[in-house]
Amino acid sequence: MNYVIRSVRADEWAAARELRLLALRDPVAHLAFLETYEEALAKPDSFWRERTAGAAEGADGAQQVIAEGPDGEWVGTLTVLLEEAGTKDWAGLPVERRQGHVVGVFVRPDCRGIGLTEVLFDAGLEWAWARGVERVRLIVHEDNGRARAFYRRAGFVPSGVIVPLAGTPDARELEYVLERP
């Protein structure tokens, strides 16, 4: 595999924006992401600068990892957020212990199946473990079978926590966790 796996740099906000917009055009984006392409497209450059800087190389609270192809094109990404015990998460649920939270997982369709998701997860998990988290979690839509199958292969297991989706009472998101080795 001739790809570079690395953290984004703060000045790469435009590339981070373009990869996110591409991810939001994926056929399962409605199951995988909590925003639409149109919502993301409408955000100003200042939003993308701040978002990228907050998860760039050297940032403390989050890290965005990318897979960069031999031609420099970004072909995959994931972000790990640190969640501190005693706080509330994005859904308003209490965080009971220090943990990592994987979000924004995406690999371009033409690059799937070659191991990029695995190495992105390896890099993200390594970053989280190095910060002393007790576990890493992620939230996945119950209908996103491809993602759920990958997360199980990567060692994540359902915790039993169900996160209801606002505006869609019949849909649920499931928490998967990986305990610190």
Side-chain angles (χ1 to χ4, degrees):
M1 186 180 329
N2 198 14
Y3 293 86
V4 173
I5 307 302
R6 65 174 179 83
S7 296
V8 299
R9 293 182 291 272
D11 65 347
E12 295 177 313
W13 66 269
R17 176 185 182 271
E18 288 310 307
L19 190 58
R20 177 66 173 187
L21 291 173
L22 179 64
L24 292 170
R25 285 187 229 123
D26 190 270
V28 297
H30 66 288
L31 297 177
F33 304 110
L34 295 177
E35 71 180 332
T36 67
Y37 173 81
E38 291 76 18
E39 290 167 340
L41 187 62
K43 292 180 177 164
D45 290 351
S46 59
F47 168 85
W48 296 101
R49 283 187 185 101
E50 184 177 318
R51 178 180 173 148
T52 304
E57 186 174 59
D60 292 328
Q63 196 73 182
Q64 182 179 4
V65 179
I66 57 139
E68 186 175 18
D71 59 359
E73 180 180 41
W74 290 13
V75 299
T77 186
L78 69 70
T79 299
V80 180
L81 310 173
L82 289 184
E83 297 176 328
E84 298 295 339
T87 63
K88 292 192 183 278
D89 69 8
W90 63 273
L93 300 174
V95 175
E96 296 176 2
R97 54 188 168 156
R98 188 165 211 257
Q99 61 192 11
H101 185 161
V102 175
V103 298
V105 179
F106 174 73
V107 172
R108 294 168 81 84
D110 58 328
C111 295
R112 293 179 185 158
I114 62 171
L116 287 176
T117 308
E118 288 85 347
V119 293
L120 285 166
F121 262 81
D122 288 347
L125 291 171
E126 180 180 323
W127 182 86
W129 300 140
R131 274 132 194 92
V133 302
E134 296 178 37
R135 71 176 191 166
V136 174
R137 73 177 186 143
L138 52 86
I139 309 295
V140 60
H141 193 283
E142 64 184 343
D143 293 337
N144 195 344
R146 182 182 77 207
R148 287 181 33 226
F150 171 80
Y151 300 146
R152 283 183 182 271
R153 285 193 311 275
F156 287 79
V157 295
S159 70
V161 171
I162 297 171
V163 180
L165 291 172
T168 35
D170 295 339
R172 302 177 316 162
E173 297 228 336
L174 311 173
E175 180 186 65
Y176 279 53
V177 299
L178 178 65
E179 296 293 331
R180 185 179 183 92

